[in-house]
Amino acid sequence: MNQIQIEELNTFSKYKSLLSELVRRDIRNKYRNSVLGVLWSLLDPLLSMIVLTIVFSALFHRVHDYPVYYLSGQLVYTLFRGGSTQAMSSLIGSANIWKSIYVPKYLYALSAVLSNFVTFVFSLVVLFAIMLVLRVEFTVYIIFASLPVFIILVMAFGVGLILGTLNVFFRDVEHLYSVFCLMLMYAMPIFYPAEILPPQFKFIQTYNPLYYLLTCVRDCFYYGKLYSLPEIIIPTIAAFILLGIGIFMLRRYQDRFILYV
């Protein structure tokens, strides 16, 4: 570990309490003026599951225990989309703070990702409850879902840093990413079986690291088995490459942010 990395770790350690406060702030802001507050972390996936189960369970009747199948995919997608989107917006959204005092800018993106992870943990309550109701077996492999979830957080953080840096200079990025996320949702087998995708569109799964992470999490919760090594290695490499690019871009251009916000 070189001197620069040691200094970065010391800086991160110095701002741990601030990071914790930023996570709490993000969660408070997310549910500001909401009567039910954090309960929406439970109601959002539950209501979506009920609606889509009614709509698609008959259409995809070959998918047994459809609510668990859907939720295990939807929670993964929501964790990535929410984390990356809020991380992207956090650099501009926190401009009033970092223009006044020095705080490492990556902390804002990291707090956005971590606050979405807290919401994800709350949402798991719904998934576990549905598994109990449908008598889906709880296996030891559920513990191993923590690794792909961690990789999703790394990926969301990396993508958030990349897009957040671009978004400071080109505000269209935020709108384009919203459209991309919508396309990503329909391209991934969240509410339909992966096998029904026509062969000409299979590349969407083959070259999509998030698809592998979704598959890994679903293997643990829905199929009650451990994912294969290639399934976790491919997105892990992609996530850390994205994180490296994100850190590089932020460090390269952050000194110019003040001119554009």
Side-chain angles (χ1 to χ4, degrees):
M1 186 175 292
N2 59 37
Q3 186 62 32
I4 295 177
Q5 290 171 322
I6 293 173
E7 288 177 3
E8 289 285 349
L9 286 176
N10 288 336
T11 302
F12 179 76
S13 178
K14 179 181 174 183
Y15 288 101
K16 276 193 303 187
S17 58
L18 175 61
L19 177 61
S20 175
E21 183 55 38
L22 287 173
V23 171
R24 282 195 286 269
R25 183 205 63 173
D26 288 341
I27 294 175
R28 282 197 302 268
N29 288 342
K30 186 173 184 179
Y31 299 108
R32 180 186 296 170
N33 298 328
S34 168
V35 175
L36 296 177
V38 73
L39 280 178
W40 280 113
S41 300
L42 308 180
L43 291 175
D44 270 343
L46 181 63
L47 295 176
S48 299
M49 181 272 295
I50 291 172
V51 171
L52 289 177
T53 297
I54 293 171
V55 174
F56 290 109
S57 60
L59 186 61
F60 303 125
H61 54 83
R62 59 182 172 176
V63 179
H64 63 91
D65 298 327
Y66 183 83
V68 178
Y69 180 87
Y70 164 74
L71 274 175
S72 57
Q74 178 64 26
L75 292 183
V76 167
Y77 169 76
T78 302
L79 176 62
F80 174 77
R81 184 205 59 192
S84 58
T85 301
Q86 289 185 29
M88 170 182 61
S89 305
S90 66
L91 293 178
I92 292 179
S94 301
N96 288 336
I97 301 176
W98 56 256
K99 282 196 294 187
S100 305
I101 57 172
Y102 171 75
V103 174
K105 294 181 180 60
Y106 69 83
L107 284 180
Y108 301 109
L110 184 59
S111 70
V113 173
L114 292 180
S115 66
N116 273 274
F117 173 67
V118 174
T119 304
F120 171 80
V121 172
F122 285 134
S123 300
L124 283 180
V125 174
V126 176
L127 177 58
F128 288 142
I130 297 299
M131 290 175 69
L132 276 173
V133 170
L134 297 179
R135 298 181 181 179
V136 175
E137 185 181 2
F138 284 78
T139 69
V140 69
Y141 299 117
I142 289 177
I143 298 172
F144 292 92
S146 55
L147 179 57
V149 168
F150 171 73
I151 301 303
I152 293 168
L153 296 177
V154 173
M155 188 179 292
F157 185 37
V159 171
L161 289 178
I162 294 171
L163 297 180
T165 301
L166 293 173
N167 195 43
V168 172
F169 304 105
F170 311 102
R171 303 300 166 82
D172 305 282
V173 172
E174 193 168 338
H175 303 288
L176 287 172
Y177 190 59
S178 175
V179 176
F180 172 80
C181 284
L182 186 63
M183 293 171 58
L184 185 66
M185 184 182 73
Y186 286 108
M188 300 222 303
I190 296 171
F191 48 83
Y192 60 82
E195 307 81 56
I196 69 169
L197 203 65
Q200 62 267 33
F201 296 118
K202 283 291 182 184
F203 71 92
I204 296 175
Q205 297 175 353
T206 304
Y207 300 107
N208 181 356
L210 191 60
Y211 164 74
Y212 293 102
L213 293 169
L214 183 150
T215 302
C216 290
V217 173
R218 188 170 273 160
D219 281 347
C220 297
F221 283 99
Y222 180 72
Y223 292 107
K225 65 178 186 180
L226 187 60
Y227 40 81
S228 67
L229 204 55
E231 280 180 319
I232 193 67
I233 286 180
I234 292 172
T236 299
I237 294 172
F240 280 96
I241 289 175
L242 289 168
L243 179 60
I245 295 172
I247 292 173
F248 170 78
M249 289 181 63
L250 182 67
R251 295 182 66 172
R252 178 72 174 78
Y253 297 105
Q254 62 180 348
D255 292 340
R256 297 171 58 188
F257 285 0
I258 194 74
L259 303 174
Y260 292 85
V261 296

